[in-house]
Every structure is written in structure tokens, then in C-alpha cells.
Amino acid sequence: MKRYALYLLVFVAMALFPVSCRHDGREESGPAGESADSLVIVRGGESAFRIIASSGNANASGLASFIKALTGVAIPTALPAAAANDYEILVGYSPREESIRAYKELEGTFGYIVRVDGKKLVIAGSDDTWVALGLYALVSKLSASSGSELVNGMSILKSLSLTETSSDPQLIARLIKGRYDFSLQLKYVMSCPPAGTVYVAQGAASDGEHFYFVMRTSDDSKSIAYKYDMRTQELIASSAEFNGGHCNDATFDVAGGRFIVAHGQSEGKILTPIDAATMTVQPNITISVGSGAITYSPARNGYAISQGGSSFYVTDSNFKVKVKKTRTDKTGYTAQGMGSDESYVYFPMSGSKDNILVVYDWEGTYVTTLTVPTTTESESMFYAAGRYYVNFYAGSSKGAMLYEIVPVHTFKYPNN
């Protein structure tokens, strides 16, 4: 995302409006380090601070470039293993007690904490992308405040505290909406191994506590669905054998407590629901449109459906069509399943050089295309418990291979 206007605002704010001042209006004096109410990052072309960050930390490099551009001072960087100094900027995790305190507060959630803790400026995040978002929040706060400067310098109020946390961050959607430049990385989660001739990985989904997979035989004659604990990755139960056709995709109906398999191909109007509690296969559902891909929206209590990489439908909970569109992306990649968060619908598509996620909004309008760095065939995609997942078929000996799709963005200055 281009943020030159934001940086210009910060520069102007720092140049014109002092923050660290005496109550009688005169600036605090003394060396760089701190004043009565501020951490003095730079004063008079000098700094007592250093940045503490792991090797190769791009967010730390971006912050150092930002400070140098505004003050002319290059803040040194040290590794977390270095002996502690009085004045430090902690970017990402470090063994400093100030950093540890912040990361304990972030446990079990997604987000960032930016605050002054004693003589340290702490920027913590649940991953590097959240650290970057925390740095943007810091920059935005500085630009919106009455400034942050001593003459030829920079200071941060000791009262500074910026926190954003969520159990449902929908981070890819957030980055798309914010027009950030970001990439996707793959993080292996688990596999669902083959069972005899039932080895072809297809649809997958989650209820937020369990992973569900459906596998089939190579001739589409037999299928089995599996339920795993998300935390321990232990197999909880499996369904009886059933005929799920090609099992092209699957989703989880939160309201109905059902893992729903879309047959796809010549049986595109047939869905097989499986009771999640008992893994009992229920009677097939016949719908009015072809479905080789399906995803459920809890907020809408409805579905998005597609087939063949061309159609796009949004239905209610009874599969009555509410939106009917034709997909406009012509990627040349092979259409697979689909997944969604509450902002966008994502189509994983496989190719010979890489995979992609084609993104649409819930009105059926194309938004963007994201690259997934693998040539392994993607099958199904879903969002659950704050994370995005894609299920891959890696061959008859491996079955289903589930990976988390991790969005990666770095704080940069200048951001181009």
C-alpha cells in the first residue's frame, strides 16, 4: 500500500508540534533518553536508544529507516541475546521482560500491542504481519496527535498504549481492504492419510474446533469423511463408506452442525450432508444449480456455490439462489473448491508453476488474485478460528495435506 501521504503527515507533525514539554510550555532539556513524560528517541542528532530484533527482521529495518528519514539519526540494531541497555525499542519478540509481558497478553488471540513500558518502546504482534500493523498504528497515532518532537528529534509519550486484538481477525480480508502489498506463505498443519483405495484428497472444512476431510477412490465409487481434533490433530471419528461422487468440495454448516460434501462434475446438483456429532451420513440434498465448489457463511447463514470456474451463486440456508453471476477471471488455472470469510470468497486454483487464490466479494464481483507458492494440487479452502487453510492432494501415498495460508506483510519506509 502506498503510504507516502501518511509519512508526510507524520513528518509535518513531528516538525511542528512538540509533545514532550514542561507544563509551563517550555521544552524539557537534557540528553536523549527520556524526559518527565516522554521517551526521547532522538534529540540534537543523537540517540541513547537501539532497536532489539531478531536477525533479518524486516519490520525493524523499516522502523530504523523511518526514524532516520525523519531525524537523520541511524538507530543501531542488536539481537535479542545482547545484554540489555536502559533504552531500547523492542520490535517483535525478545527475552526482555517488557516484551514477555506484552506477548503473554497476546496469547490465544490475534493482534498487536504498542506501548511504552518503563524505558522501552514495545511493538509486539501475534506474528510479523501484526507487528507491521502495530507499527502503522504507531505512525498513525503520531500523525494524529499534537506531534512527537523535540528540536531536531523525536519523542514518544510514556502514556502511549495502542492495542488491537481479535479472535476473528480475517487478516487476508483486512490486508486486501487496506490495499497492502502482501504475499502468502504455506505452513504445514497435518495430513489425513489414505485408507486402502480411498486415497484421493478432496473437500475439507472446519467448525472451529475440528478439521473435516473427505477422501474418495480414484473411480469415484466410494468415499469416507474424517473428523480430527484441531488442537491435537487426533482422529476423532470417520463416517461409513458412502457415494459422494467426485467429492469435489466441502464446507461446514455451522447452524445445522453438518459437514456438507459437494459431489461435483456430473453430479453437481447433489450434496451429501454428514452429521458432525455422530459422523452419520444423511440423505442427499438436491439443489437447483451445479456445485463443484461450496462455502458457508455463518453471518449470512447461507452459501456461495460455483462450478467449473465460471458460475457464482449465493444462496440462503435452503439453497435458494439470491445472487447469480458469471465469474470474470480467466486465469488459465484449474478450478478447484472454494472458501470464504465474511468479506470475500476465495477460489483455490492449481497450475503448473504455482497455485492461486482468486478473490471475489459476496456480490460476485472480482477483487484480486493471490499467488500460493506451490505446484501441489489444491483442492479445498476454508477459514476457521482466525486462520486460513488450503487442503492439497499430494498423491496416492500421502492423501490429504492441510496447510495454513499465512499472509505476510512488512512495515517499510519508503513503502514502495
Side-chain angles (χ1 to χ4, degrees), residues 81-122:
N85 277 0
D86 282 344
Y87 300 109
E88 294 178 329
I89 302 173
L90 309 179
V91 180
Y93 182 81
S94 78
R96 305 291 194 266
E97 62 181 22
E98 296 87 353
S99 179
I100 292 171
R101 277 196 289 268
Y103 275 89
K104 283 186 175 179
E105 292 180 28
L106 287 172
E107 285 181 358
T109 189
F110 302 90
Y112 61 76
I113 293 173
V114 179
R115 69 185 177 204
V116 173
D117 187 342
K119 298 179 180 180
K120 316 287 187 186
L121 174 59
V122 180

Side-chain angles (χ1 to χ4, degrees), residues 323-339:
V323 175
K324 179 181 179 180
K325 293 288 183 69
T326 298
R327 284 174 56 178
T328 58
D329 62 289
K330 304 297 180 183
T331 63
Y333 285 69
T334 301
Q336 302 290 350
M338 63 197 296

